[in-house]
Structure formats: C-alpha cells, structure tokens
Amino acid sequence: MPDSASPDPAFRYDPGSQSNPGLQRFASAFAGAAPSLLDWVHGRIQGGPEKRVLAEDLVQEIGLLAFRRYGEYDPARGSFRRWLIWFADQVWLEVCRVSFSEVPDPTSPDDPSLQQFASAFAAAAPSLLAWAHCRIRGDLRKRLEAEDLVQEVGMRACLRRGEYDPARGNFRQWMFGFANRVWLETLRELGRDPLGPRHRHGGDSQLPNVYDSVTTISRRVANDELLRACRVRLDALDDDDRRLLVAVGLEGLSHAEVGLLFGITEDTCRKRWQRLRERLQDDAVLGAMLMP
C-alpha cells in the first residue's frame, strides 16, 4: 500500500476536525468499506465470548482515527477501502507504542510535575471511571475491571505527562485521548489472548512514586459510594445511550464526529444528546462529569 511513513495511531485532539467539510464524503466511503473492515478485524481476533464486542469497538476506534487522518487519503494511489484496511493494519501493528520501556527514570516524590499531575488526575478520575465502566461490557468484565483500566491509564499518562501541551487543549481532552490509546492496546491484547487475564505492563516496583500517586486516586474513586450508584445508573442505560454518553458527554467528541460513528446526522446526534442530558439532569454526580 502507500510507501509513505506509517500514521501515528494515537488519538489527537484536533478541534479543526469537527468542521471538516469532507465529513459526508468520508461517512459515505466508510459505510461502504465498513463490512470489509469488520471482516479484517474478525480475522485478527481469536475466538472467545467477547469477540463481537471487541470487533465492534475496534472498528469504531479505527473509524474515528481514519476520519481524523482522512486528508492523507490519495484516490490516485488506490481505493478508499484499500487505504482504510492499510490504515487499520498500521493501527493494529503500532498501537503498543505506549509502554513502560519508553519512560525515563522514576521521578522523585518531590517532583512538582508529579504533584501537578496527581491533582489534575484526581479531578479527571471520576469521569475516567465512568468511561471505563461503559467501555468494559458483557463478558469483558470477567477479565478486566474498570478500576484496573483507570489505574493503567493513569500510570501511563503520568509517565508521559511531559507530552501534555496546554496550548493544544485542556488536560481532560489530553487524558481521554491518551485513555483511548491505552484502550485500543487493551482491545488488541484481549483479542490476541482470548482466554488469559489482562496483564499489566512493566514493573510497579520500579515506579513506586508514580504507582502510589495513581493507585491511591483510582482506589478512592472506585470505592466512592456516590460513584458506585452512578455506575448502576450507567448500567441502566441502553447501549445506544451509553455509547452516546461516552462519546459526547465524557470524551467530548463533536456531534459531527459522533454522527459519523453512529451512522446518523449531526443534527440527530445533537437532539439525542439533549434528550439524554435532560433525563440525567437529576443525577448531580453524573452531571458533573459530563461535558457541557
């Protein structure tokens, strides 16, 4: 396929993509290529009761990534379907770049950047827990707990905190972008090992300061009674509402982007979100997590 450099599959918060005039063209092309992409994903995921969930989530994540890199598609070099499968292959191969082997030496507990991260992570942790709870569905919950995913995201983000650039967006945007990258890796790992448990990467004993900061926060939010009740409320939502809440309310995607993923118009997405917010407005805890 293309001989240019492989795309970096990391989620990038790009406000400009929300008004991309090529949205409808991409949506039409993606709808036509989606069955082939789903077949491609199924071919890379081993058997298991959660295979369907894994495949659907991977197709959704790859689709959003491809939309944000749609400008790189050159019709003169091949069909859109061929480009999409090539792009998916790059995501599949490269998504594990976030690893403990890439990080510098452990930081001191007195490092001000570590303390600043801990404060920002504590503020984002309830939303991340709700996000993880919605992401992990069905049989996946037998192999991965929401608290563990939040802790994994927190540790990796803390170790890469130097990459956060306030000029490109707020900390929450960056954190959810990072979380989606870790989630993609998690899906990839679970798909390759359908029977084994989810394994952490790296050794916690080598990163005591980071581990203690993140673990304390993730355990606190996991044991919070109000957040437990919030998770019950999330489970009561139907699948479509839960996906909408994750995409718009927690990850902060635009209605145009979410409409693309759901196969609906931007206006329909906006109206559905307004109705869902009205239904949830009596839940102060959940309401405080959601984007305006």
Side-chain angles (χ1 to χ4, degrees):
M1 187 44 196
D3 53 7
S4 59
S6 300
D8 179 359
F11 267 66
R12 295 182 178 181
Y13 46 92
D14 180 10
S17 69
Q18 297 181 5
S19 57
N20 189 329
L23 173 63
Q24 295 304 319
R25 292 194 299 272
F26 178 88
S28 177
F30 184 75
S36 296
L37 179 59
L38 186 61
D39 288 342
W40 178 91
V41 170
H42 271 292
R44 279 156 178 75
I45 296 179
Q46 304 301 315
E50 70 280 3
K51 180 174 181 176
R52 181 184 63 81
V53 174
L54 289 174
E56 290 175 353
D57 281 350
L58 277 168
V59 168
Q60 176 175 318
E61 304 304 336
I62 291 170
L64 181 57
L65 283 170
F67 167 61
R68 292 179 171 180
R69 305 294 292 269
Y70 182 45
E72 299 176 5
Y73 166 55
D74 181 2
R77 303 183 67 188
S79 68
F80 175 82
R81 174 188 169 280
R82 188 182 177 198
W83 176 81
L84 183 64
I85 297 299
W86 169 82
F87 185 89
D89 198 51
Q90 305 312 303
V91 173
W92 185 262
L93 291 173
E94 302 296 332
V95 75
C96 289
R97 285 182 179 176
V98 180
S99 68
F100 279 92
S101 62
E102 299 177 26
V103 304
D105 292 336
T107 56
S108 163
D110 298 324
D111 181 352
S113 71
L114 177 59
Q115 298 171 12
Q116 291 166 2
F117 176 88
S119 177
F121 179 66
S127 298
L128 278 171
L129 183 67
W131 168 87
H133 185 77
C134 290
R135 285 291 201 180
I136 305 171
R137 313 190 308 277
D139 290 309
L140 288 179
R141 291 184 178 177
K142 298 176 182 178
R143 301 175 57 193
L144 179 65
E145 295 184 4
E147 178 189 352
D148 292 337
L149 181 57
V150 170
Q151 183 172 307
E152 184 87 357
V153 169
M155 287 194 65
R156 290 169 180 246
C158 185
L159 294 167
R160 304 290 290 270
R161 61 190 180 278
E163 299 178 1
Y164 167 55
D165 181 3
R168 299 186 62 197
N170 61 43
F171 179 82
R172 174 178 170 133
Q173 287 176 302
W174 178 79
M175 194 70 192
F176 272 102
F178 198 93
N180 268 304
R181 187 172 179 180
V182 175
W183 176 239
L184 269 173
E185 179 184 342
T186 301
L187 291 174
R188 181 178 186 270
E189 181 180 326
L190 290 172
R192 294 180 65 179
D193 183 14
L195 299 179
R198 162 73 172 143
H199 299 293
R200 294 184 51 82
H201 292 263
D204 298 331
S205 61
Q206 299 176 4
L207 306 162
N209 302 322
V210 171
Y211 180 76
D212 290 345
S213 297
V214 172
T215 302
T216 298
I217 295 169
S218 60
R219 286 178 178 171
R220 183 170 66 240
V221 297
N223 292 325
D224 186 288
E225 289 301 324
L226 290 176
L227 291 176
R228 286 181 184 274
C230 178
R231 292 163 75 176
V232 173
R233 180 75 179 271
L234 292 173
D235 283 337
L237 298 175
D238 63 35
D239 288 343
D240 287 342
D241 283 344
R242 191 159 47 246
R243 291 173 62 212
L244 185 62
L245 183 143
V246 168
V248 179
L250 296 176
E251 295 182 2
L253 299 182
S254 71
H255 295 294
E257 289 176 313
V258 176
L260 168 68
L261 293 175
F262 290 10
I264 57 178
T265 66
E266 179 178 353
D267 188 54
T268 299
C269 178
R270 182 178 292 105
K271 291 178 179 178
R272 287 186 182 179
W273 173 239
Q274 290 173 347
R275 290 196 295 268
L276 180 58
R277 283 213 63 145
E278 290 174 358
R279 285 165 46 202
L280 299 175
Q281 64 183 359
D282 62 322
D283 191 322
V285 176
L286 184 56
M289 300 180 191
L290 303 180
M291 298 289 285

